């Protein structure tokens, strides 16, 4: 009898041990190897979401993330432009460190046949998580380059930066990609190409006339070469801009172009389906999914299900369609019981593009709330972006955090959660967010944040450890046009040098804790510590500058310009690079079904 009782107790003890081990295993998985879903909007204003105060746009699913997680109210993009901001996001480093910040006027990639891009030497979070056994996918916008020396070397392609699967655009969504939506190049072409070509043409004709009448002897061969070069250049330019949509706006699956030019029909639904299917394929494997929306960058679009349904025109329709997509992702996590095993992050690459107005006068840019400026500027409206994180059971629900954080922080946060080592051979500017999110610390590790306008240090934010103040200084500011507006409407975006800016000596100083709208610069009369604050920031700038190393400029004119030999084409130039395997596959699925 005693032996029977002893065996019964042993079985019970063994059962409890097994249960404890199983529970411990699940807990360890969820803590150290969570699934990671990163949802990145494009040009979304912080004031466009209900959880940040909007009362007219419907964003229930994004707001649900806020309700069930942490809302960052001072979440800062590392740059106010797409390409450098996304480079910083993927690497956890200021884009100036990787050569992804331009010294020229153009700060982003515009052509699929440019040779610049995220260098292969850079370490992305996708590379590190892939090494840890994660399935990795990028669905949507890349905008960090494609080829280096040939049309299929794919040196900058997402699959060369740690992603197992890619479905999306290697460049970006532009007005020129959608017929009837205008052109982002028209003003520039008229200003910088048409007039010089006209001058050159008049000069050559004048020289020919002068030569003909005998007033001046011009070598006929030299004149002929000049005319030939001018004619060839004009033909190439006309061909390129006439075929811009076919050459630069295409959809890829991994290394294959599947739709050239891109069709906007049900595009968000297609991106969402790809994301849902990726999650479904990896329910038993830790995964990293970066769903990088084309919404709400122009050209704006929305499917029939959402078009005309919002209170804010096509822009509002696009926001609400994106919110629907977020809801689909959250639903599939519930379906596969992955909710508690998945960290979800939502943000935007920079603030809303306030200057976006259609040819018919409809506002196509978003709302940055109370904040000044927008995309392309380091006023708060250009860099203060939504930051939402949800991880049930591990991140407290319904909390708000006003400490300065950066989109560069996602890199060390998810790398550590995956059990990977942070690179030791380079500076990582981001900081692990988990101690802050879980309440283990109350202060951000970002005492200083450096705000670049392209490759030029534009502003610095200082949050002293012993103060609630957030000081921000500007060394120069963009010249808004018209002057009394909130953006650079005459040039469509603000630029970073020359006559486009006003330099300040001493720098402009604001305390964002008291003046988040950056309305009234402080002076030595209104702030007794004015020069003391500037001195501390100048010392921080000197230290930061010493940490920078010279690297190749990925956004130089040479790397930005279109190179015909790098042009991806799924058919031939004589067929305008046309193909549509995407629609063909859809038709086959319908018929086979």
């Amino acid at each position: 009898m005693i032996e029977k009782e002893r065996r019964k107790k042993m079985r019970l003890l063994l059962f409890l041990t097994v249960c404890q081990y199983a529970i411990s295993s699940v807990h360890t998985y969820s803590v150290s190897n969570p699934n990671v879903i990163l949802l990145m909007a494009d040009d979304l204003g912080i004031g466009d979401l209900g959880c940040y105060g909007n009362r007219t746009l419907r964003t229930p699913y994004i707001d649900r993330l806020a309700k069930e997680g942490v809302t960052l109210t001072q979440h800062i993009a590392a740059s106010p432009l797409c390409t450098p901001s996304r480079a910083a996001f993927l690497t956890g480093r200021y884009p100036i460190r990787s050569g992804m910040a331009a010294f020229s006027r153009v700060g982003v990639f515009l052509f699929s046949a440019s040779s610049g891009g995220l260098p292969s030497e850079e370490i992305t979070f996708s590379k590190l998580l892939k090494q840890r056994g994660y399935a990795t996918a990028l669905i949507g916008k890349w905008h960090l380059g494609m080829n280096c020396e040939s049309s299929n070397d794919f040196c900058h392609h997402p699959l060369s930066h740690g992603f197992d699967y890619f479905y999306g655009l290697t460049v970006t969504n532009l007005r020129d990609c959608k017929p009837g939506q205008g052109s982002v190049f028209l003003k520039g072409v008229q200003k910088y190409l048409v007039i010089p070509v006209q001058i050159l043409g008049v000069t050559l004709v004048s020289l020919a006339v002068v030569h003909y009448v005998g007033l001046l002897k011009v070598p006929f061969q030299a004149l002929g070469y000049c005319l030939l070069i001018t004619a060839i250049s004009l033909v190439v330019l006309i061909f390129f801009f006439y075929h811009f949509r076919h050459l630069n706006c295409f959809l890829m699956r991994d290394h294959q172009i599947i739709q050239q030019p891109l069709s906007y029909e049900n595009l968000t639904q297609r991106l969402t389906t790809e994301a849902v299917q990726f999650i479904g394929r990896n329910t038993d494997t830790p995964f990293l999914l970066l769903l990088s929306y084309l919404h709400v960058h122009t050209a704006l679009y929305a499917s029939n299900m959402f078009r005309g349904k919002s209170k804010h025109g096509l822009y509002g329709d696009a926001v609400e369609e994106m919110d629907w997509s977020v809801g689909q992702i959250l639903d599939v996590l519930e379906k596969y019981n992955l909710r508690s095993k998945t960290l979800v992050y939502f943000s935007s690459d920079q603030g809303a593009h306030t200057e976006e107005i259609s040819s018919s006068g409809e506002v196509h840019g978003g709302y940055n709330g109370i904040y000044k400026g927008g995309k392309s500027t380091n006023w708060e409206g250009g860099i203060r972006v939504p930051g939402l994180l949800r991880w049930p059971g591990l991140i407290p629900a319904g909390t708000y955090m006003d400490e300065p954080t950066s989109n560069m922080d996602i890199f060390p946060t998810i790398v550590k959660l995956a059990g990977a080592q942070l690179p030791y051979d380079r500076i990582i500017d981001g900081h692990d967010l988990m101690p802050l999110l879980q309440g283990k610390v109350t202060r951000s590790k970002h005492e200083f944040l450096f705000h670049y306008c392209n490759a030029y240090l534009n502003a610095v934010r200082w949050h002293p450890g012993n103060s609630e103040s957030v000081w921000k200084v500007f060394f120069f500011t963009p010249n808004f046009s018209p002057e009394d507006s909130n953006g650079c409407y005459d040039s469509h975006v603000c630029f970073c040098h020359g006559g486009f800016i006003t330099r300040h000596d001493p720098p402009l100083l604001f305390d964002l804790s008291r003046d988040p709208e950056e309305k009234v610069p402080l002076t030595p009369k209104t702030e007794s510590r004015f020069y003391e604050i500037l001195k501390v920031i100048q010392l921080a700038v000197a230290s930061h500058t010493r940490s920078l190393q010279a690297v190749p400029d990925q956004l130089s004119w040479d790397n930005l310009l279109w190179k015909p030999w790098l042009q991806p084409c799924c058919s031939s130039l004589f067929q305008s690079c046309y193909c549509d395997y995407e629609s063909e596959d859809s038709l086959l699925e319908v018929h086979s079904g």
Side-chain angles (χ1 to χ4, degrees):
M1 186 75 176
I2 294 171
E3 182 63 19
K4 189 176 179 181
E5 282 292 314
R6 190 180 71 81
R7 285 200 300 270
K8 187 176 179 182
K9 287 180 179 178
M10 286 293 291
R11 284 197 298 270
L12 180 62
L13 183 61
L14 181 62
F15 173 76
L16 290 173
T17 302
V18 170
C19 287
Q20 186 177 8
Y21 177 78
I23 292 167
S24 174
S25 297
V26 171
H27 181 69
T28 302
Y29 170 84
S30 63
V31 170
S32 62
N33 291 288
N35 304 311
V36 178
I37 296 179
L38 308 173
L39 305 169
M40 181 64 70
D42 196 351
D43 290 4
L44 182 73
I46 194 171
D48 288 326
L49 302 176
C51 52
Y52 284 95
N54 194 295
R55 293 293 173 263
T56 53
L57 280 173
R58 296 166 296 187
T59 55
Y61 297 108
I62 297 172
D63 297 346
R64 177 177 154 194
L65 283 175
K67 185 178 179 182
E68 297 175 356
V70 172
T71 301
L72 304 174
T73 59
Q74 197 178 166
H75 194 47
I76 308 301
S79 171
L81 285 175
C82 306
T83 293
S85 177
R86 289 164 185 269
F89 174 62
L90 280 160
T91 63
R93 289 152 53 82
Y94 288 110
I96 189 74
R97 299 193 190 279
S98 58
M100 296 294 281
F103 288 92
S104 62
R105 182 179 300 179
V106 180
V108 300
F109 295 114
L110 296 171
F111 312 129
S112 63
S114 297
S115 57
L118 188 63
S120 57
E121 299 80 16
E122 287 300 312
I123 297 174
T124 61
F125 53 63
S126 45
K127 280 184 182 177
L128 295 177
L129 266 64
K130 184 177 180 177
Q131 291 171 7
R132 291 290 298 167
Y134 273 66
T136 58
L138 167 63
I139 293 168
K141 172 177 168 173
W142 174 238
H143 210 183
L144 295 172
M146 185 166 167
N147 295 311
C148 290
E149 296 178 355
S150 71
S151 62
N152 59 357
D153 63 35
F154 302 116
C155 64
H156 301 307
H157 190 278
L159 297 193
S160 299
H161 282 288
F163 291 102
D164 297 320
Y165 182 70
F166 172 61
Y167 176 90
L169 282 68
T170 56
V171 193
T172 187
N173 176 29
L174 290 170
R175 285 192 178 276
D176 301 72
C177 294
K178 195 164 185 269
Q181 293 296 306
S183 172
V184 298
F185 299 104
L186 192 58
K187 282 186 179 180
V189 167
Q190 289 174 338
K191 186 174 182 180
Y192 299 107
L193 284 178
V194 173
I195 294 174
V197 165
Q198 287 174 341
I199 293 171
L200 180 61
V202 169
T203 303
L204 288 172
V205 170
S206 300
L207 284 172
V209 170
V210 169
H211 176 83
Y212 181 76
V213 299
L215 293 175
L216 179 68
K217 292 295 181 183
V218 180
F220 185 77
Q221 195 173 17
L223 192 62
Y225 280 135
C226 286
L227 284 168
L228 181 62
I229 291 168
T230 303
I232 291 172
S233 300
L234 276 173
V235 168
V236 170
L237 282 171
I238 291 168
F239 172 84
F240 176 75
F241 284 109
Y242 182 77
H243 292 282
F244 181 91
R245 176 169 166 253
H246 289 78
L247 297 177
N248 296 283
C249 312
F250 51 79
L251 187 67
M252 295 188 80
R253 178 176 279 112
D254 294 333
H255 288 142
Q256 183 187 7
I257 297 175
I258 58 174
Q259 193 173 60
Q260 190 172 9
L262 169 76
S263 168
Y264 286 87
E265 186 177 358
N266 295 322
L267 181 54
T268 301
Q269 282 76 2
R270 285 183 277 154
L271 296 173
T272 306
T273 298
E274 288 283 339
V276 167
Q277 289 175 349
F278 173 78
I279 294 170
R281 292 194 300 268
N282 293 285
T283 55
D284 298 322
T285 305
F287 64 81
L288 163 70
L289 169 62
L290 172 51
L291 178 50
S292 179
Y293 292 104
L294 276 63
H295 287 322
V296 283
H297 196 293
T298 51
L300 294 179
Y301 67 95
S303 63
N304 290 335
M305 185 165 61
F306 294 93
R307 197 174 183 94
K309 302 295 173 61
S310 79
K311 295 181 180 179
H312 291 279
L314 189 52
Y315 183 89
D317 300 341
V319 172
E320 294 186 359
E321 182 172 61
M322 179 173 62
D323 180 75
W324 164 85
S325 175
V326 172
Q328 296 297 298
I329 302 302
L330 300 183
D331 288 348
V332 79
L333 292 180
E334 298 281 357
K335 176 183 176 181
Y336 293 118
N337 196 28
L338 296 173
R339 183 173 178 270
S340 62
K341 300 175 184 177
T342 305
L343 172 67
V344 181
Y345 166 77
F346 179 90
S347 189
S348 177
D349 54 358
Q350 66 265 324
H353 194 172
T354 56
E355 295 95 340
E356 276 289 5
I357 298 175
S358 73
S359 56
S360 63
E362 183 180 359
V363 174
H364 278 188
Y367 176 53
N368 291 315
I370 65 170
Y371 303 110
K372 185 175 182 176
K375 177 178 179 175
S376 80
T377 81
N378 281 303
W379 295 112
E380 289 296 283
I383 55 176
R384 192 180 289 222
V385 293
L388 305 172
L389 293 108
R390 187 194 80 169
W391 190 3
L394 287 158
I395 292 177
T399 55
Y400 291 81
M401 195 160 293
D402 195 37
E403 286 291 294
T405 58
S406 169
N407 64 350
M408 296 184 292
D409 296 337
I410 298 304
F411 179 95
T413 302
I414 64 176
V415 166
K416 287 187 177 181
L417 288 172
Q421 293 293 318
L422 289 174
Y424 59 85
D425 62 341
R426 64 200 63 205
I427 293 172
I428 301 298
D429 298 298
H431 297 293
D432 182 8
L433 284 173
M434 287 306 292
L436 194 63
L437 296 174
Q438 294 183 320
K440 294 177 181 178
V441 299
T442 58
R443 303 288 293 197
S444 167
K445 285 188 177 180
H446 287 293
E447 182 179 1
F448 297 96
L449 280 169
F450 302 93
H451 306 305
Y452 281 84
C453 184
N454 286 356
Y456 305 98
L457 186 59
N458 182 190
V460 179
R461 177 184 309 249
W462 176 36
H463 184 38
N466 59 352
S467 170
E468 294 303 313
S469 291
V470 179
W471 306 105
K472 185 177 177 185
V473 301
F474 279 92
F475 303 113
F476 63 86
T477 52
N479 298 329
F480 284 171
S481 54
E483 283 186 25
D484 59 348
S485 69
N486 190 39
C488 302
Y489 288 87
D490 292 346
S491 54
H492 191 63
V493 292
C494 296
F495 296 114
C496 306
H497 59 278
F500 297 100
I501 63 170
T502 297
R503 297 191 178 278
H504 303 286
D505 187 16
L508 298 184
L509 175 66
F510 299 91
D511 181 0
L512 298 178
S513 67
R514 291 179 287 168
D515 182 18
E517 299 170 63
E518 297 169 296
K519 281 185 173 180
V520 184
L522 298 169
T523 67
K525 290 183 179 180
T526 58
E527 175 51 62
S528 60
R529 294 165 294 170
F530 184 87
Y531 290 108
E532 178 188 338
I533 293 164
L534 292 186
K535 185 177 180 181
V536 171
I537 289 175
Q538 286 164 351
L539 289 171
V541 168
S543 176
H544 168 70
T545 303
R546 285 194 299 271
S547 76
L548 301 177
Q549 296 180 344
V551 292
D553 181 4
Q554 297 296 325
L555 289 151
S556 66
W557 282 114
D558 178 53
N559 280 325
L560 282 172
L561 290 175
W562 178 62
K563 298 179 173 66
W565 59 92
L566 298 183
Q567 182 60 55
C569 187
C570 65
S571 55
S572 71
L573 288 175
F574 298 105
Q575 296 172 290
S576 299
C577 291
Y578 176 83
C579 68
D580 193 358
Y581 304 121
E582 177 84 344
S583 296
E584 289 173 15
D585 290 345
S586 299
L587 284 171
L588 284 173
E589 287 176 15
V590 170
H591 289 308
S592 62

